[in-house]
Amino acid sequence: MTTAYKHSIRIYWEDTDAGGVVFYANYLKFFERARTEWLRALGFEQEAMRHAEGAMFIVSSTQVRYLRPARLDDWLTITVEIRELGRASMVLFQQAWRADTLLSEGEIRIGCVASDGKSQDFKPTRIPAALFAALVEQK
């Protein structure tokens, strides 16, 4: 596995289809949860950032490969690693592992947009300075 940030999750019935196999779209949810916890581990809460900085993150594109299925009761490790970092966006590489078996991986492009509470036009804006500095250290 990689040395990227790691977040662990258990697979529940709600994550699976009738055969106990994880529904493909749920990997995107797992990736989202890991990104949120990664930011928390860096000391940044997304809702607090939205209120204090008037900025929030949105997903602008995803590319995911599914290699092996996850199943009911599996314990997964979801990783997060910065591939590209710009002033208003980043590309993250994420993987889902069951022990030493890679199940899924993808690149997720995240954009930072203005969300000042008055307008919801979501125009691109710079990643807040303190968070950007923390991300540079991670890269």
Side-chain angles (χ1 to χ4, degrees):
M1 275 206 255
T2 181
T3 59
Y5 175 80
K6 297 174 184 172
H7 175 70
S8 296
I9 62 165
R10 171 79 62 202
I11 301 301
Y12 299 103
W13 274 117
E14 67 192 34
D15 302 317
T16 68
D17 61 18
V21 174
V22 169
F23 182 64
Y24 75 94
N26 285 342
Y27 289 93
L28 293 172
K29 290 197 290 188
F30 303 156
F31 289 171
E32 177 76 31
R33 292 174 194 165
R35 289 192 306 273
T36 297
E37 296 306 323
W38 168 64
L39 289 174
R40 281 192 178 119
L42 292 174
F44 299 91
E45 300 258 344
Q46 292 188 69
E47 187 66 359
M49 183 178 80
R50 188 173 68 84
H51 289 291
E53 303 282 346
M56 62 186 252
F57 290 116
I58 60 168
V59 172
S60 62
S61 69
T62 63
Q63 182 177 354
V64 180
R65 288 184 343 131
Y66 304 97
L67 306 165
R68 300 221 186 281
R71 298 180 185 278
L72 181 64
D73 288 330
D74 280 352
W75 187 249
L76 303 186
T77 300
I78 311 300
T79 64
V80 181
E81 182 180 347
I82 299 171
R83 280 275 168 95
E84 297 174 25
L85 179 61
R87 293 302 294 160
S89 68
M90 61 183 127
V91 175
L92 302 174
F93 180 66
Q94 295 192 255
Q95 295 180 313
W97 294 84
R98 181 182 51 236
D100 293 332
T101 302
L102 178 60
L103 306 177
S104 177
E105 63 185 8
E107 282 194 349
I108 316 297
R109 180 171 293 279
I110 306 292
C112 188
V113 296
S115 176
D116 60 10
K118 298 173 195 159
S119 67
Q120 294 294 322
D121 57 9
F122 300 131
K123 289 184 179 177
T125 191
R126 289 180 178 260
I127 296 170
L131 176 54
F132 187 79
L135 295 172
V136 167
E137 285 184 32
Q138 291 291 301
K139 193 166 178 350

